[in-house]
């Protein structure tokens, strides 16, 4: 494992009885990278993070975190890591401040309390109330503060903005980018594609316990299918357009708008006279634009899919069977 690698898993296998949660998971996260981990419910995200901290043990494969083997050096790994679990369990009778002081004590009382106060102020987290009186969002903020408080080299965050309002979501994303600027690596799972697009430098998509894609969010979007809507000055025979490589006719003359279809979905091609057409384009637009030069075009619009549409394209109907 090179000095530049923060996390590396190879062939990670984890089963819970009959349930195969991880089926040979390979992952590499570079130091000082903000890395998004995407997948539907039950795909294996939490299991992967727990293996990294030796909270559960895989049956096969290897893991290195900050150059350490978490099974041989769990304390050293946890000392250098800030972890936000999906469901943080807290004593309901403790106040926010006593809970944070407890987390500080677990870390040898080495935390800069001034930094903790900055975090609680920025997240608008009151210190005095008992935890049982807090909203879900405020409990989530305690989890975020305890993960960040010791300025760890690595942040493992399981859905960091879950339950937070949009202002607080933005503040958490700022804290994540500031942690990176301070030299930390951030590995976070999320179901909120807009935030992944906003902060992640690379993303991995996990499906049924295996990584199916690792890429920069923009590259994933660029690689995906696009839609082009063309209006003509008068009805034309669209046959030549349907024959352009990578172009598929989706709907015609105000027909029903379809969502971006899944990869590999075939749509029948037609050669009829039409005044408007919606096309799906795979890859570059060049072939379509050149073919359109021969047509009396009055309007031309293109749409890029969102990361959410790209994400959905990887799962489609098997969403239901994953859980
Ligand atoms: P979510 O987005 O819902 O948090 P996830 O991607 O984090 O999902 P995991 O929690 O890692 O998914 O679960 C992966 C699979 O392992 C699922 O099928 C889940 O039901 C199963 N699983 C997880 N923990 C256990 C457990 N302690 N005992 C039995 N099965 C488990």
């Amino acid at each position: 494992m090179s000095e530049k690698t923060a996390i590396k898993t190879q062939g990670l296998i984890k089963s819970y009885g009959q349930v195969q949660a991880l089926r040979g998971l390979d992952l590499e996260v570079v130091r000082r990278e903000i890395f998004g981990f995407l997948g539907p419910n039950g795909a294996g995200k939490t299991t992967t993070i727990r293996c990294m901290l030796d909270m559960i043990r895989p049956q096969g494969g290897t893991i290195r975190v900050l150059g350490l083997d978490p099974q041989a050096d769990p304390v050293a790994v946890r000392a250098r890591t800030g972890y936000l679990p999906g469901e943080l369990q807290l004593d309901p009778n403790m106040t926010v401040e006593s809970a944070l002081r407890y987390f500080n004590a677990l870390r040898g009382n080495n935390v800069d309390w001034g930094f903790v106060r900055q975090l609680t102020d920025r997240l608008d987290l009151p210190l005095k109330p008992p935890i049982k009186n807090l909203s879900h969002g405020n409990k989530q903020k305690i989890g975020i503060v305890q993960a960040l408080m010791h300025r760890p080299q690595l942040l493992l965050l399981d859905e960091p903005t879950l339950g937070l309002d949009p202002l607080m979501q933005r503040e958490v994303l700022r804290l994540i980018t500031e942690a990176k600027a301070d030299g930390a690596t951030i590995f976070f799972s999320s179901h909120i594609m807009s935030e992944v697009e906003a902060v992640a430098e690379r993303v991995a998509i996990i499906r049924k316990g295996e990584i199916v894609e690792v890429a920069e969010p923009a590259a994933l979007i660029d690689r995906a299918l696009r839609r082009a809507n063309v209006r003509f000055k008068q009805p034309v025979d669209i046959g030549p357009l349907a024959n352009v490589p990578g172009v598929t006719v989706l709907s015609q003359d105000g027909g029903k708008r379809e969502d971006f279809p899944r990869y590999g979905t075939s749509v029948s091609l037609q050669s009829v006279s039409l005044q408007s057409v919606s096309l799906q384009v795979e890859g570059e637009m060049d072939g379509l634009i050149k073919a359109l030069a021969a047509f009396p075009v009055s309007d031309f619009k293109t749409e890029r899919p969102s990361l959410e549409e790209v994400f959905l394209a990887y799962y489609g109907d098997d969403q239901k069977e994953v859980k």
Side-chain angles (χ1 to χ4, degrees), residues 13-46:
I13 291 171
K14 173 69 192 174
S15 297
Y16 302 99
Q18 296 298 309
V19 179
Q20 277 192 290
L22 303 179
R23 306 169 191 235
L25 184 119
D26 297 323
L27 194 65
E28 186 158 358
V29 178
V30 176
R31 291 208 193 216
R32 301 194 62 169
E33 170 169 53
I34 303 181
F35 194 98
F37 197 31
L38 309 181
N41 294 133
K45 301 181 295 296
T46 303

Side-chain angles (χ1 to χ4, degrees), residues 32 39 57 69 99 113 133 153 230 282:
R32 301 194 62 169
R57 288 231 163 139
D69 175 354
W113 200 254
N133 291 358
Q153 290 175 37
V230 191
E282 203 174 337

Side-chain angles (χ1 to χ4, degrees), residues 128-163:
K128 298 294 168 222
I131 284 163
K132 62 186 170 202
N133 291 358
L134 295 184
S135 66
H136 180 81
N138 277 344
K139 281 187 204 149
Q140 176 78 351
K141 292 176 194 172
I142 298 177
I144 292 163
V145 174
Q146 65 78 32
L148 289 164
M149 69 198 304
H150 54 298
R151 298 182 191 271
Q153 290 175 37
L154 174 66
L155 283 161
L156 298 176
L157 308 174
D158 206 343
E159 298 198 46
T161 62
L162 188 75

Side-chain angles (χ1 to χ4, degrees), residues 53 65-66 77-83 107 150 152-154 156:
L53 290 168
V65 176
L66 301 170
V77 169
R78 290 186 202 188
R80 292 161 174 74
T81 306
Y83 171 49
R107 296 201 173 274
H150 54 298
Q153 290 175 37
L154 174 66
L156 298 176

Side-chain angles (χ1 to χ4, degrees), residues 12 25 30 45 59 67 72 108-109 111 131 157 177 183 190 193 217 232 244 248 254 258 266 289 295 321:
L12 217 54
L25 184 119
V30 176
K45 301 181 295 296
Q59 284 96 0
N109 287 313
V111 168
I131 284 163
L157 308 174
T177 44
S190 175
M193 298 298 146
F232 306 105
V244 175
T248 310
E258 297 171 41
S266 62
I289 305 266
F295 286 82
E321 60 185 87

